Amino acid sequence: MFKTKVSADSKADLLNKSKSQRESREKDKKFSAAAFVIQRHWRRHNSNVKLRCKILADFNELVSKEKYNSVDLFHAFKNVLFIKKLRSDSDVLYKICSAILTSTTSDSKAKWYYSLAISKHSKDWLSQVNTLVALFMDDILSSTDILAVKTAAVSYLTLIRLLCSVEQWKVYQVVQGNELVRTVLERLSETFYTHAISSGLLTALKHLLDKNLARVESSLSPSEMELISELLHLVLVHSRFNEDIWLAMYLSVMATPCLVNRLTPPHREVITYSVNMLTALVSLNIHSNKIISVLSKDELLFLILNVIHLLHEGLRNEQIIHYPEVVDVVHKFLRAASSTTGKASHWHPILGLCETAVSIQLANSVKQLTKQIALLHSRLIKKFFFQDLLEAEFPKDKPLSWKTFFTSHIQSESKLLRHVSKICAFYYTAITTFEKYKTDILMSLCCLPDFLTSLWNLVYTEYSQSSKTLARSMAQQDTVNPDPFVPVLVLFCSCFSQYFIVLSDEEIYEKEQPFSLRDLITIAGFVNGMLFNVLWNNYDNLHNHQAAVDRINICHGLLVLLHERDQRRSFIPNAKFWTPKDASPTAILAELKSSGGKGRSQKVADYIPWIFPQKRKMEYLHSIIKQDKSLCRDDHQKTVLIKIHRRRLFEDGLNHLKHLADDVLKHQLKIMFINELGLEEAGIDQDGVLKEFLEETIKHGLDPSFGLFVVTEENQWHYPSPLSKIHLEYVELFYYLGRIIGKAVYEGITIDVNFAPFFIRQVLHNKNALFSYLDELPSLDSELYKNLTFVKTYDGNVEDLGLTFSVDENEFGKMVTYELIPGGSVTTVTNANKISYIHQVAHYKMYTQIQTQTKAFVAGFKAIINDTWLGMFSLPEIQKLISGDISDIDLQELKRHARYLGGYHTGHRVITWFWDVCINEFTEQEKSLLLKFVTSCSKPPLLGFGAMSPPFSIRAVDESDDGTDDNLTPGRVIRSSFKSFLGIQGSNSQGNTRLPTASTCFNLLKLPVYNKKSILREKLRYSNSVEKLRYAINSSFGFELS
């Protein structure tokens, strides 16, 4: 034999081949094992499917033929329950439920499924029923499209209702004589109820209701709602005040939107147990924090409104309800629903701005929720809440001084105060939470007979502490030793503020409704004193607590209304009344100046500025402006010179000044006029040329023929013309005029114009005060006011008048209809909404139709005059800032501050005659005309003639004076230049005929030197000179520019 040598490569190949074959055999073994496992599982699955199909087929055959007895059903259900994935098989569960329901209606005892409860299968039957109930609840809760399984869900709930209502079991009726069996069945029914609750019955009900009720139209039929009502009834009956069940009830079903709204008669069996629910709510006070933490804000809102609805239904059914505790709990929920901790960036149709997006349930239920909110001011709830207050007897003869209280009465009525305080606190939270419905709630409370007077009597007679103690309570947080008096006072101020704006002068002053003038004086004094003590003595507390600030703002709103009404038509005995005895205006102003407009002194100035005398306020304003001028002029030294053509004065001013910054316009503006020949007028602006420019610009802009402003017929008050939009750039024009008038006020230049009070009010704009434009309407359109008053007092059906919430306006010969509210042209005015209608019309006439123009004007005005500077001024005082004081003209003061030029001096005979005539012989009208003749304004400056700039001056003009002077002083050169430019010539024959003239831009009177050669001729010339002066000022002849 020959030996063959095996190479190393061949050996390696052999080993690899062996390994590969071995791995292949192992793989085949694994494949065989896997195939065996797969086949085993497949056979098992196939067997399970066949078994499942057979069980279901047998079950379907059984229930379809209805040839079964209760035992057959029991075993069929038992087999079905062993099938996997039954929880997702809604069809099978529905068939099981239907089969059980069918068996209960059968006349054959053998088919009664309930009969197994007393058979040998009772234990397994009970377990089976509990399992089915749990599966039914899971099927409802797991459904994403509840509408698709609504039929099955209703069947499940019907079965549960039967299970929990043992008296409806036929087997229960059959065994009437066997008390032992009946007791067993009753206990089984209780067991089913408990198991249904633990399996999520209440949560399932909420799920069903949320999906079907939270829509514009409910998808649940009346019979289905009746079923739900009966289930809630059963929960209430079987609960026996179990707190866990009540808590679950409030965390689920009661947090469903508009639940009670949907349960309308005759499906409101649950309402008969509203007392139980409310009583349970009281017991749940200890769980209120858990409810607040678990429920979303929308769900908490649903809960609150459902409870309020239940309360209303309980009252309607004349059930006795102990509501103070209920109010406490609901009030706590309401505060939680309205609280915000982050940035409110979403609009909530009920709560306004909120932190989270609105749920679909709420979005679809707004209309129904609004109806529930309206129950807060329903007659039943109002009367029930405030019944004790309205029935209380208060002293009738109250002293005028609010500091006199009835200590003996307080002891017996302190319980009433605490009781009413809770209700008032609840309503205050309600109006702050439901801001959109605030007016409706407050006005409805005011319409409750004797409500306002009773509430004020409680305020007046109950509070025995000093105003300083009350101020401390008002400035505290609600949680810090709450004073029961505070909510009462705040709600009174809220209600009376809302009601006061709709009262006419006749109702207040003649009829004295709802309060006498004596009571109004008392209310004003009480609130005024309290407010001052809060602001002055408790500023630190107030500064740190927004809730306290909100309360103070409400009280301040009422006080502003009372003060403004007194300003328009006085009912307060004397002006010092508005200054509290503890207040020292001088000290407050001194602190205001030293603090730089910060701290408590600024708060006092903002809230109750009427404590300061008018002159002090004017002096303070001028000191602020003087300081502002010095600061800005230090920063900006460069002067801006504007050249204005006299023939295009308004247009040039607009084109030049609209590009200037506010600071430049205030501090660095100089004017140079260009005459008709195109030459620069030789003039040095010693505030005189600027004054002339401002006066002429304002005169042109306010001229009704220009189209921006119109005047009222009766008082000749200026206000923006609704038709001013005929100017393409009317907004810019109003802004420009606002800046120009602001500049005039800034420079202390008064203009002879009276703005309408309703227009000035927009400049003042007190954010805390309500205002009724109806009060000011007579000044605009007395005929319209009479017509609206007729509508207000009309005893018949207002619908017969054919009015709608719209107005027709004649705009350039074309009638245009404007709606007062959305859809106003088709909204009929009725007896119920006529008050709203007349106020809407007044608001439209005096605000809405000139809103754009007014905003532009106010923006321009406040660009020059800082808004904070105006805070301490009342409406009449703003008018005086613009046009001067309306008091009598004190010519003695003018004489003391007069300056004399051209040879005149205080002892000059002409000057002596002049002052003697003006002071002793002129009427008030002639004095006013003299002032207008010289200064262009018929009213004296607010700070007196000593503050007039330029100062009032009288210059001598004799027969030969042609405007020149041998003594060529700079001032004489300027005056001579003006007179030369205007062609004014002197003549020896002018001495007896020449009229006085004036340069209003310099407040300069040019008085001729009238010579008198004898006593007789002196008297005659004296008389003649008087007539000349009178003729000049009355006819305005002799006015000349210099």
Side-chain angles (χ1 to χ4, degrees), residues 93-109:
L93 288 175
Y94 175 61
K95 289 179 180 179
I96 292 175
C97 181
S98 299
I100 296 175
L101 290 174
T102 302
S103 73
T104 59
T105 59
S106 175
D107 294 331
S108 173
K109 296 180 182 180

Side-chain angles (χ1 to χ4, degrees), residues 292 300-301 304-305 308 327-339 351 376 425-434:
I292 291 171
L300 199 56
L301 179 63
I304 293 166
L305 295 179
I308 291 172
V327 170
D328 285 344
V329 179
V330 177
H331 187 195
K332 189 173 184 178
F333 290 163
L334 198 58
R335 283 188 302 219
S338 61
S339 64
L351 303 177
L376 280 171
F426 168 73
Y427 269 102
Y428 173 66
T429 304
I431 62 176
T432 54
T433 303
F434 307 125

Side-chain angles (χ1 to χ4, degrees), residues 58 101 163 285 311 578 592 612 677 744 751 770 818 898 938 1020:
D58 293 342
L101 290 174
L163 288 172
N285 198 5
L311 177 61
W578 291 106
L592 184 62
F612 305 111
L677 300 177
I751 57 177
L770 299 169
Y818 292 96
S938 59
L1020 291 174

Side-chain angles (χ1 to χ4, degrees), residues 889-950:
I889 299 173
D890 185 0
L891 291 185
Q892 290 286 4
E893 184 191 6
L894 181 61
K895 179 181 177 181
R896 287 195 300 271
H897 295 96
R899 295 184 181 181
Y900 304 103
L901 305 169
Y904 277 153
H905 52 82
T906 55
H908 196 285
R909 59 182 181 176
V910 177
I911 296 300
T912 303
W913 298 334
F914 172 79
W915 289 118
D916 184 53
V917 170
C918 294
I919 294 173
N920 300 321
E921 298 187 23
F922 273 18
T923 64
E924 287 300 323
Q925 182 181 4
E926 287 175 325
K927 292 177 182 178
S928 178
L929 289 173
L930 170 65
L931 198 59
K932 183 177 178 62
F933 180 76
V934 179
T935 68
S936 78
C937 183
S938 59
K939 300 171 186 175
L942 291 172
L943 294 179
F945 292 107
M948 181 180 286
S949 178

